[in-house]
Amino acid sequence: MCESGRLYLCATPIGNLDDVSFRLLDTLKNVDLIAAEDTRVTAKLLSRYGIRKLSVSFNEHNARARVTSLIQMLSSGKDVALLSDAGTPGISDPGVQLVQAVLQHGLSVTAIPGPTAFVVALVLSGLDTRRFLFEGFLPKNRSERERRLGELKDIPYTMVFYEAPHRLKATLESLVDVFGNRKAAMARELTKVHEEVVRGTLKELFNSISPDIKGEITLVVEGSGPRAETPTGHLARLVASFVAEGVDRKTACRVLSKAFGVSSRVLYNDSLAIK
Ligand code: SAM
């Protein structure tokens, strides 16, 4: 019986193709197959280092079917490298599905560590790095996004979010609405020629950022704490007290939102979190 192969989770540059390790290049040269989120993106990295290797795509659209064929390859003794478009496979991409299948089949997996965007953004943000929460992408739908932010709002750790450029303004608006005006940093095009880190408050970021902003973006936001401003917190508590006295939540929110000029939706979501 042949010995089974190994899956290598290979972290690759998040922009600057010089950010590779000797071990990464050796691994890419020696594996039998590369499974890449986008084979065209990976082809640029391989060509830069003169590596010619069979590549197949492994992405959110074909992950389920590909897991089966990759498990067969690994079981038959082939070594496979898994690559994200940028950064570490398994972070905000379908890599975890393959890792779980590999473990279920008793096969071997190891990692070739390297860049990941959230760590670079976090250390450049200037915010507290002792404890942090990596959230990845927030829901695209506004009310789902704000509900999720409501769950995160009291966490005292720095938070890191991935976001698409065309959704950045809407996400900053939700962050201001739900978190209040905390410190934050917007890290864009990290390690690339146009690398930029804008630091300030959430409101300053919202006001300074163009809706046409382009590029890869990671947001870092201060955790809750004595300095975090929660402008509607006292009103949300008032809503919760009214509800405890039998007043309908929507009615309480509507009345208070009119009286104090705040968002009824934000009050509603915030009041749900109050026991
Ligand atoms: N696996 C990747 C990692 O380890 O960082 C993340 C994959 S996720 C699909 C892609 C997101 O990462 C982008 O939408 C952006 O939010 C963030 N990102 C990737 N490259 C970046 C860069 N150079 N600068 C800032 N953010 C980046």
Side-chain angles (χ1 to χ4, degrees):
M1 214 179 89
C2 73
E3 220 175 274
S4 53
R6 186 176 237 200
L7 175 68
Y8 292 82
L9 305 175
C10 294
T12 55
I14 56 169
N16 188 324
L17 292 188
D18 285 347
D19 292 335
V20 294
S21 66
F22 292 123
R23 199 166 158 232
L24 171 71
L25 298 180
D26 271 351
T27 304
L28 295 179
K29 281 178 198 154
N30 291 325
V31 290
D32 298 291
L33 176 77
I34 292 175
E37 193 174 359
D38 183 335
T39 52
R40 291 161 305 179
V41 173
T42 295
K44 288 185 196 146
L45 178 71
L46 298 181
S47 128
R48 165 74 181 266
Y49 292 99
I51 300 171
R52 292 170 68 86
K53 190 66 58 176
L54 180 63
S55 301
V56 296
S57 66
F58 179 83
N59 51 47
E60 56 181 327
H61 308 293
N62 66 6
R64 198 191 278 228
R66 276 279 195 263
V67 163
T68 311
S69 57
L70 290 173
I71 291 294
Q72 277 166 3
M73 287 207 69
L74 289 161
S75 305
S76 70
K78 305 284 187 215
D79 286 331
V80 176
L82 178 68
L83 274 66
S84 220
D85 276 357
T88 300
I91 299 296
S92 292
D93 75 8
V96 68
Q97 292 179 44
L98 184 57
V99 174
Q100 286 169 352
V102 161
L103 297 176
Q104 275 159 15
H105 285 81
L107 295 164
S108 168
V109 56
T110 191
I112 309 297
T116 185
F118 77 83
V119 172
V120 184
L122 175 69
V123 295
L124 288 179
S125 70
L127 297 173
D128 192 349
T129 58
R130 286 171 301 176
R131 293 190 181 86
F132 63 89
L133 179 143
F134 171 65
E135 175 70 6
F137 291 96
L138 285 163
K140 295 175 190 164
N141 173 278
R142 183 179 177 144
S143 60
E144 283 172 32
R145 182 169 62 238
E146 294 188 357
R147 191 171 314 122
R148 178 63 188 146
L149 288 174
E151 289 165 358
L152 299 175
K153 135 173 126 40
D154 295 323
I155 293 177
Y157 303 164
T158 303
M159 291 173 227
V160 191
F161 303 93
Y162 283 161
E163 195 46 284
H166 61 280
R167 280 195 290 272
L168 180 62
K169 275 240 137 166
T171 294
L172 284 169
E173 193 174 22
S174 295
L175 280 162
V176 171
D177 278 355
V178 181
F179 280 13
N181 197 20
R182 299 184 188 181
K183 283 190 198 162
M186 191 277 305
R188 190 173 74 88
E189 296 287 85
L190 290 168
T191 76
K192 303 185 196 177
V193 180
H194 298 293
E195 172 176 297
E196 175 186 37
V197 182
V198 183
R199 302 174 186 86
T201 64
L202 284 168
K203 278 187 191 166
E204 284 166 350
L205 294 189
F206 177 80
N207 290 331
S208 65
I209 283 164
S210 152
D212 303 326
I213 193 165
K214 302 266 185 296
E216 305 273 12
I217 287 161
T218 300
L219 270 176
V220 187
V221 183
E222 183 180 42
S224 84
R227 280 162 295 118
E229 200 187 304
T230 49
T232 56
H234 59 297
L235 294 178
R237 278 195 297 282
L238 207 51
V239 171
S241 321
F242 281 134
V243 172
E245 294 298 323
V247 178
D248 170 61
R249 189 181 302 273
K250 269 192 183 156
T251 310
C253 292
R254 199 174 53 243
V255 172
L256 290 174
S257 90
K258 271 192 196 150
F260 293 95
V262 297
S263 156
S264 175
R265 181 172 36 80
V266 170
L267 273 187
Y268 190 93
N269 287 340
D270 283 359
S271 70
L272 288 176
I274 294 169
K275 301 273 175 294

